[in-house]
Amino acid sequence: MKTQNKSQSKSKVPKEGVYPEIIRKNYLGSKKLLNKKAVISGGDSGIGQAVAVHFAREGADVAIIYNESDKDAKETKKLVEKEGRKCTLIKGDVTKKAFRTRCVEKIKKDWRTLDILVNNAGIQFPKNNIENISEDQIQKTFDTNIISMIALTRDFLSLMQKGARIICTTSVTAYRGSDHLIDYSATKGAIATFIRSLAVNIAERGILVNGVAPGPIWTPLVKETFDELSTFGKDNPLKRAGQPSEVAPAYVFLASEDSSFITGEIIHINGGDFVGG
Ligand code: NAD
């Protein structure tokens, strides 16, 4: 996870153990998403990048929405193309209505319909005290993490048909809270509720809505967000943070026919933290 004022590439993180594994070398694709079309917000980096590469290995073409790092986006495109699939890059800010409209228009023009929408873009700004959380921070965190997610989903629904999937990234913090990510964890709780509400609302259309709630995952800018990394991920039963390669297969499951009788659910990938829901 990252703050949003860094424009440099996140590919190089100079600390041992922080290098993300995007996909396991032995991950065998089995055409679970053959010829599907997927949009992934925040697909240039971290969890979203891993989802893009896994979807491609399973046979899907992807379009990734990202806001800053052309270098990371190009790297993702390269990785997707290495899997023999197409990767469209859409650069812009999901909090802007005009940009969201442009995303939907581009996908409509290129693909006509959309099979899978992964709502994954997110930001966080850790603060130890609520007094240190500015109005601007609250607004930006909610705008990015949940308000634009609801709006983007509403807009993309016009391209989605029976069998389509919506997958949203929430967080373990939605369930157990976080004393240093108060506003962020509130957005993640809102995402969990959005998943459940939308799932029921559009069930009759045959469109399934589910989520993934990662615990601590080594993504390139975890280092930039948190000052102290030596304890990152050490407080769960497995006593370590996870890799993007350990999260992305859940998105494949939720995007594929294997999850055809599941909607309104959230998969917890957090090293064994017991959380309700
Ligand atoms: P990341 O910073 O590597 O990727 C997030 C991406 O979101 C960015 O690269 C950017 O492209 C995109 N983004 C952010 N703001 C945007 C905006 N306004 N417009 C367009 N794109 C925007 O972070 P990550 O760790 O891979 O996080 C991905 C998701 O996983 C987030 O929703 C995050 O809350 C969630 N998550 C991460 C962790 C973790 O430990 N890394 C844990 C739980 C949940």
Side-chain angles (χ1 to χ4, degrees), residues 1-231:
M1 269 303 301
K2 65 175 185 170
T3 55
Q4 288 300 291
N5 51 359
K6 317 272 181 177
S7 57
Q8 78 273 33
S9 165
K10 293 162 278 168
S11 303
K12 302 274 182 289
V13 181
K15 195 173 166 94
E16 206 179 331
V18 181
Y19 288 103
E21 181 183 67
I22 301 304
I23 189 166
R24 296 191 322 269
K25 281 204 179 76
N26 65 356
Y27 182 99
L28 201 59
S30 52
K31 302 183 182 172
K32 282 186 187 294
L33 304 178
L34 191 60
N35 296 330
K36 297 286 185 196
K37 310 284 188 202
V39 165
I40 304 165
S41 73
D44 60 322
S45 170
I47 292 169
Q49 183 185 54
V51 172
V53 177
H54 281 74
F55 278 14
R57 191 162 294 184
E58 293 290 356
D61 290 332
V62 300
I64 64 172
I65 295 172
Y66 69 104
N67 63 342
E68 278 178 357
S69 177
D70 295 322
K71 191 170 175 194
D72 290 344
K74 281 182 189 154
E75 173 67 14
T76 306
K77 187 174 165 71
K78 206 170 88 188
L79 292 170
V80 166
E81 287 174 351
K82 219 170 122 191
E83 302 295 336
R85 303 305 308 191
K86 291 190 181 123
C87 180
T88 305
L89 304 183
I90 313 179
K91 184 178 184 179
D93 182 348
V94 286
T95 68
K96 306 281 186 251
K97 187 176 187 320
F99 173 65
R100 293 193 299 264
T101 302
R102 187 153 65 77
C103 290
V104 177
E105 278 169 0
K106 165 106 185 109
I107 295 302
K108 188 174 179 185
K109 183 165 164 280
D110 289 2
W111 294 342
R112 220 171 32 83
T113 58
L114 178 65
D115 300 305
I116 306 156
L117 172 64
V118 177
N119 285 313
N120 169 76
I123 52 170
Q124 65 182 26
F125 305 96
K127 293 280 158 45
N128 286 332
N129 296 304
I130 191 167
E131 288 84 355
N132 295 337
I133 303 177
S134 66
E135 296 283 333
D136 280 356
Q137 174 176 323
I138 298 167
Q139 193 66 55
K140 187 164 185 176
T141 305
F142 273 78
D143 276 349
T144 307
N145 294 6
I146 176 70
I147 294 173
S148 62
M149 182 184 289
I150 297 173
L152 197 66
T153 303
R154 178 201 58 203
D155 296 350
F156 268 122
L157 261 175
S158 61
L159 306 185
M160 303 180 89
Q161 295 167 340
K162 190 171 179 200
R165 305 301 171 90
I166 296 166
I167 307 167
C168 306
T169 306
T170 172
S171 165
V172 69
T173 64
Y175 297 86
R176 60 162 161 70
S178 168
D179 65 349
H180 59 288
L181 291 169
I182 296 169
D183 51 339
Y184 168 85
S185 57
T187 67
K188 293 298 174 177
I191 291 170
T193 312
F194 172 59
I195 290 164
R196 290 175 181 146
S197 304
L198 184 66
V200 175
N201 184 267
I202 62 175
E204 280 187 0
R205 296 195 218 176
I207 299 173
L208 307 183
V209 187
N210 291 291
V212 176
I217 305 299
W218 287 124
T219 57
L221 287 196
V222 159
K223 180 170 180 292
E224 289 197 16
T225 307
F226 294 120
D227 296 332
E228 178 52 63
L229 282 181
S230 62
T231 54

Side-chain angles (χ1 to χ4, degrees), residues 245-262:
S245 62
E246 297 177 296
V247 183
Y251 292 78
V252 170
F253 171 66
L254 292 174
S256 75
E257 265 190 81
D258 294 343
S259 59
S260 56
F261 197 48
I262 300 177

